[in-house]
Amino acid sequence: MRTLYGYFRSSAAYRVRIALNLKQLECEHKAVNLIPGVSEQKSDAYRAINPQGRVPYFIDGDVKLSQSPAILEYLDEVYPDVPLLPEGAANRAYVRQLANIIACDIHPLNNLAVLGKLKGEFGADDALVKKWYGDWITEGFTALEKIVSGSAHTGEFCFGDTPGLADLYLVPQMYNARRFNVDTGPFPTLERIDASCNTLEPFIKALPENQPDAPKA
Ligand SMILES: N[C@@H](CCC(=O)N[C@@H](CS)C(=O)NCC(=O)O)C(=O)O
């Protein structure tokens, strides 16, 4: 039995949901409410599951993992039928490079804990926090757009015509950009790839608004 602890708006959990859907793996989803003030991720009960107090957290039998990059690599090694990474070390490194621009250089600067610290300890108001959030996305996406728009690897998706690892980092980050009104117009290749992904069932099923813990419209 597989279990994914997540939250509808968590982009790191969103990545894992897409991968599970692409690989057609059954999984029970357990919601951890990250809304400030509720903050179930900080509860003793949840920290007993994941000491880091973050989502996603994934259980597959005896295997218990936090950190979406580790979860995604695990899924790809153990369930390789629908691969997330291409053949060849250089191609795989290329795709990881794209994914890591988001995973290492955008997402960690914009997660809830960082935004909370900016507001709570450093006195940033909403406008400053919004600028912080948008600036890191714009900086990362500027590099990503340059690489992807100039690469022969780019097809309908970040690598060729099959969705893969880089796409499942890109789509949640684009979602966050739109949510915070960051202008994605300067990134036409990223917009095009994101739109292609969002026509596919595994990506649609993983959308935040399609999760059971999303507030009903
Ligand atoms: N590097 C981690 C990041 C996990 C992470 O920061 N998750 C956010 C949601 S996207 C979270 O749980 N935040 C809770 C908090 O900051 O208190 C991963 O990729 O899994």
Side-chain angles (χ1 to χ4, degrees):
M1 184 60 196
R2 297 179 203 99
T3 305
L4 179 68
Y5 290 85
Y7 177 62
F8 74 106
R9 263 193 191 139
S10 156
S11 55
Y14 188 176
R15 298 167 191 159
V16 178
R17 292 197 300 265
I18 300 168
L20 289 166
N21 295 342
L22 284 169
K23 290 176 176 288
Q24 300 188 317
L25 298 172
E26 293 283 322
C27 186
E28 180 191 8
H29 291 261
K30 289 198 177 169
V32 180
N33 193 337
L34 304 187
I35 287 258
V38 179
S39 303
E40 273 180 344
Q41 78 276 21
K42 296 182 180 159
S43 68
D44 290 345
Y46 184 65
R47 280 193 195 269
I49 296 165
N50 178 6
Q52 204 189 0
R54 293 197 181 197
V55 295
Y57 192 78
F58 181 65
I59 301 179
D60 188 10
D62 292 336
V63 177
K64 297 180 178 177
L65 293 169
S66 66
Q67 293 294 332
S68 62
I71 298 167
L72 295 171
E73 297 260 349
Y74 166 82
L75 289 175
D76 216 29
E77 285 177 31
V78 176
Y79 306 103
D81 286 355
V82 179
L84 300 177
L85 284 165
E87 291 288 318
N91 291 338
R92 284 198 291 275
Y94 172 80
V95 169
R96 289 188 178 110
Q97 163 199 225
L98 303 181
N100 284 349
I101 289 176
I102 293 169
C104 304
D105 297 337
I106 300 178
H107 181 266
L109 291 160
N110 283 352
N111 79 36
L112 215 52
V114 170
L115 303 184
K117 214 175 199 23
L118 284 176
K119 277 190 201 173
E121 271 185 51
F122 294 92
D125 61 15
D126 286 347
L128 261 183
V129 170
K130 191 170 180 291
K131 176 170 164 42
W132 169 278
Y133 196 98
D135 282 0
W136 291 117
I137 292 181
T138 301
E139 180 178 288
F141 276 5
T142 300
L144 209 51
E145 173 70 26
K146 194 155 194 184
I147 297 169
V148 172
S149 64
S151 170
H153 290 312
T154 306
E156 191 177 350
F157 301 103
C158 284
F159 191 94
D161 294 326
T162 310
L165 191 82
D167 304 299
L168 48 87
Y169 280 84
L170 175 65
V171 167
Q173 196 59 63
M174 286 291 275
Y175 188 96
N176 282 353
R178 283 192 295 271
R179 191 174 146 230
F180 281 80
N181 296 317
V182 178
D183 182 13
T184 57
F187 316 116
T189 319
L190 305 185
E191 282 190 332
R192 176 183 64 71
I193 293 170
D194 177 59
S196 285
C197 289
N198 283 320
T199 63
L200 303 177
E201 192 53 33
F203 286 83
I204 294 169
K205 208 174 134 195
L207 277 164
E209 54 266 37
N210 293 338
Q211 305 316 303
D213 59 322
K216 303 289 162 262

